[in-house]
């Protein structure tokens, strides 16, 4: 699952090199004469190449990335942004922080954004949709993009949880007007904290870049101190330390995906005979970092959860961290009507169990786990 499992001498060397070899400047902008490397700019270039996108901007967190993306689209107070009930609180916070109102859309049996409900939630105030590729799997991104097009809405594609996943052989996060990645401590690749915005739209990219750096235009012929202010911005910059780690982690992505898949398959082999497994939608390839299945009987669910605790694996978001991942629980952030819209989703999610895939745990652990769960009666 997460990149933190395989942080080793390579990340440590990258950090040491900043001080020993690269000139030691930790800030991403300027100081050309003192330093030999710009890790942030290199990390961005590597991301663009890996995910086949024109522009990438790395920032301080995935949450910040969503907010910056919404700001670049001009989302403001009075606007509505639709996102889904199975989610992470960050998406809601980013919407609220722009002054807009989050509107909750339900989920289908595969736990993805429900396309029918999405269409019902579009109003005159709707400006954007944020579909979320939850826990390693693609939403029906082609359908969502076409609904958005028809209604003249923006799509900000939250791919914080499925970095490396694909739809029709194209990387998730590259379908919307803007795509979002997260590199926080629990994500597929990590920089401790961090995020990225991907876009093929150079105009939006420029706004994002200026906004995340106090409105700096970064004019070529001006010093930073004399630079032109394009707008009121904020500081959401990534540091060189984070980017140096990120460059190493990005190279490990394929290794992570390959090892996820082996462990996932051990679970699938036995459990698919007994349970409904949340599947990758047609034409998509998930990242296999979470195994999610439906267990109708409460009694059976409790037995399985007990086994997962015994193996020191736990159940990740379902049900362990459900309160952070289902909008039904977010009455501190949203009006009653939106909470009500989330009730059915809560009832669906309550019947699922999610098993996190740890690549530092041997294949045999997942094999035994799988057998033990499938022997429950
Ligand atoms: C992790 C996550 C975020 C935000 O990422 P941070 O980098 O932790 O701020 C946003 N959306 C989803 C769905 C996430 O899982």
């Amino acid at each position: 699952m997460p990149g933190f499992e395989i942080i080793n001498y390579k990340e440590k060397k990258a950090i040491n090199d900043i001080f020993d070899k690269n000139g030691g400047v930790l800030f991403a902008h300027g100081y050309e004469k003192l330093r030999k490397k710009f890790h942030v700019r290199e990390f961005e270039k590597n991301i663009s190449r890996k995910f086949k996108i024109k522009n990438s901007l790395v920032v301080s967190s995935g949450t910040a990335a969503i907010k910056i993306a919404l700001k670049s689209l001009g989302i403001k107070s009075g606007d509505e942004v639709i996102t889904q009930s199975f989610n992470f609180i960050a998406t809601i916070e980013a919407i609220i922080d722009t002054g807009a109102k989050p509107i909750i859309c339900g989920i289908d049996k595969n736990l993805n954004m429900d396309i029918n409900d999405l269409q019902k939630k579009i109003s005159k105030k709707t400006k954007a949709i944020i579909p979320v590729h939850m826990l390693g799997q693609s939403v029906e991104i082609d359908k969502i993009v076409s609904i958005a097009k028809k209604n003249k809405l923006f799509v900000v594609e939250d791919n914080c949880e499925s970095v490396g996943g694909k739809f029709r052989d194209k990387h998730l996060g590259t379908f919307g007007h803007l795509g979002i990645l997260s590199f926080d401590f629990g994500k597929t690749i990590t920089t401790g904290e961090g995020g990225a915005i991907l876009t093929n739209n150079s105009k939006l990219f420029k706004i994002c870049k200026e906004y995340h750096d106090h409105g700096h235009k970064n004019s070529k012929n001006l010093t930073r101190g004399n630079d032109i202010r394009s707008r009121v911005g904020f500081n959401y910059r990534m540091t060189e330390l984070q980017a140096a780690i990120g460059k190493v982690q990005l190279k490990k992505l394929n290794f992570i995906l390959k090892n996820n898949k082996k462990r996932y398959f051990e679970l699938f082999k036995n459990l698919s005979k007994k349970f409904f497994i949340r599947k990758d939608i047609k034409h998509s390839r998930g990242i296999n970092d979470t195994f999610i299945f439906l267990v109708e009987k409460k009694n059976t669910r409790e037995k399985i959860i007990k086994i997962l605790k015994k193996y020191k694996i736990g159940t990740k978001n379902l049900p362990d961290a459900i309160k952070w991942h289902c909008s039904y629980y977010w009455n501190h952030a949203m009006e009653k009507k939106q909470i009500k819209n989330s009730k059915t989703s809560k009832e669906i999610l309550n019947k699922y169990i999610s098993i996190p895939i740890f690549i530092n745990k041997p294949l045999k652990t997942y094999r035994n786990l799988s057998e033990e769960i499938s022997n429950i009666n």
Side-chain angles (χ1 to χ4, degrees):
M1 184 200 31
F4 78 71
E5 288 186 90
I6 50 168
I7 284 184
N8 59 16
Y9 68 95
K10 289 184 181 166
E11 282 84 352
K12 285 181 197 160
K13 182 175 182 304
I15 294 290
N16 283 333
D17 282 354
I18 295 180
F19 302 101
D20 300 340
K21 296 183 184 167
N22 305 339
V25 182
L26 300 179
F27 185 56
H29 307 265
Y31 301 100
E32 280 85 349
K33 283 184 193 130
L34 291 178
R35 59 149 42 123
K36 296 184 188 91
K37 267 198 185 292
F38 285 83
H39 291 284
V40 164
R41 299 286 94 81
E42 286 180 12
F43 187 27
E44 288 170 340
K45 219 180 263 169
N46 297 353
I47 287 171
S48 294
R49 196 177 307 133
K50 174 85 188 166
F51 299 113
K52 299 191 170 63
I53 192 95
K54 207 155 129 194
N55 309 290
S56 304
L57 179 75
V58 294
V59 299
S60 52
S61 74
T63 313
I66 302 171
K67 179 177 169 195
I68 296 162
L70 293 173
K71 290 294 274 186
S72 79
L73 298 169
I75 307 286
K76 56 179 189 319
S77 167
D79 296 339
E80 291 181 355
V81 178
I82 303 173
T83 189
Q84 64 202 54
S85 53
F86 185 31
N87 207 326
F88 177 53
I89 186 74
T91 312
I92 302 294
E93 290 169 329
I95 297 168
I96 293 172
D97 224 34
T98 66
K101 187 166 136 182
I103 302 292
I104 297 299
C105 168
I107 50 170
D108 58 23
K109 199 185 174 196
N110 221 13
L111 312 187
N112 297 321
M113 185 179 250
D114 180 341
I115 304 297
N116 293 324
D117 195 35
L118 169 64
Q119 280 160 303
K120 286 184 206 151
K121 294 292 182 318
I122 295 172
S123 80
K124 279 193 182 122
K125 292 182 180 169
T126 310
K127 287 283 151 58
I129 307 169
I130 310 184
V132 186
H133 305 294
M134 280 300 282
L135 296 178
Q137 288 177 227
S138 173
V139 299
E140 300 203 71
I141 192 64
D142 55 341
K143 290 183 188 156
I144 293 169
V145 165
S146 90
I147 291 168
K149 217 176 208 170
K150 214 163 67 196
N151 292 279
K152 297 196 170 59
L153 303 174
F154 294 114
V155 175
V156 175
E157 198 189 342
D158 181 336
N159 189 31
C160 291
E161 298 197 358
S162 304
V163 176
K166 286 183 172 177
F167 181 80
R168 287 195 186 278
D169 224 25
K170 199 164 122 86
H171 275 282
L172 301 179
T174 63
F175 290 85
H177 293 85
L178 302 124
I180 308 298
L181 311 181
S182 165
F183 309 127
D184 83 19
F185 56 92
K187 299 301 205 287
T188 314
I189 55 170
T190 183
T191 57
E193 294 282 4
I197 300 166
L198 317 181
T199 182
N200 283 317
N201 184 321
S202 298
K203 221 162 109 186
L204 292 176
F205 174 69
K206 188 166 163 277
I207 304 174
C208 289
K209 195 164 180 190
E210 291 166 356
Y211 180 76
H212 102 296
D213 182 22
H214 300 300
H216 263 282
K217 256 190 166 323
N218 275 306
S219 318
K220 275 222 167 66
N221 302 321
L222 297 175
T223 61
R224 195 160 164 85
N226 280 315
D227 197 17
I228 296 163
R229 295 164 296 272
S230 65
R231 64 193 70 249
V232 175
F234 214 82
N235 177 1
Y236 290 121
R237 293 181 304 247
M238 178 179 271
T239 67
E240 290 287 274
L241 284 168
Q242 290 164 298
I245 294 171
K247 278 163 52 189
V248 179
Q249 283 268 304
L250 187 60
K251 283 190 196 150
K252 296 181 175 180
L253 180 58
N254 289 351
F255 174 83
I256 292 171
L257 299 186
K258 206 171 89 194
N259 284 284
N260 278 349
K261 202 167 176 178
K262 287 185 197 159
R263 283 155 186 76
Y264 188 99
F265 184 69
E266 288 298 331
L267 294 170
F268 188 85
K269 234 173 24 186
N270 294 315
L271 301 185
S272 60
K273 291 177 199 147
K274 278 187 93 162
F275 302 99
F276 169 81
I277 316 290
R278 182 193 186 211
K279 287 177 196 69
D280 282 331
I281 59 160
K282 218 173 161 188
H283 306 302
S284 77
R285 200 194 72 198
I287 65 169
N288 303 120
D289 75 326
T290 318
F291 184 88
I292 304 178
F293 60 116
L294 175 66
V295 187
E296 291 277 3
K297 282 197 202 135
K298 188 162 179 250
N299 181 12
T300 314
R301 278 203 301 277
E302 280 166 0
K303 283 184 189 164
I304 295 172
I305 289 165
K306 220 181 230 166
I307 294 171
L308 284 159
K309 280 210 177 108
K310 189 182 79 187
Y311 278 81
K312 293 195 167 58
I313 286 177
T315 68
K316 206 173 174 179
N317 303 3
L318 305 173
D320 273 0
I322 183 77
K323 287 184 180 155
W324 288 97
H325 295 90
C326 175
S327 53
Y328 182 78
Y329 298 98
W330 302 340
N331 54 14
H332 68 298
M334 288 184 304
E335 54 182 30
K336 277 207 180 82
K337 190 177 161 198
Q338 301 308 322
I339 303 299
K340 230 168 135 188
N341 287 348
S342 318
K343 191 158 181 263
T344 316
S345 300
K346 181 202 81 167
E347 281 158 11
I348 295 173
L349 291 169
N350 266 338
K351 293 187 172 167
Y352 282 78
I353 290 178
S354 69
I355 305 179
I357 306 290
F358 293 106
I359 60 178
N360 271 351
K361 289 207 184 284
L363 210 55
K364 209 172 113 224
T365 303
Y366 282 93
R367 191 172 300 151
N368 296 342
L369 175 63
S370 170
E371 270 170 26
E372 198 166 333
I373 293 175
S374 68
N375 285 333
I376 289 177
N377 40 42

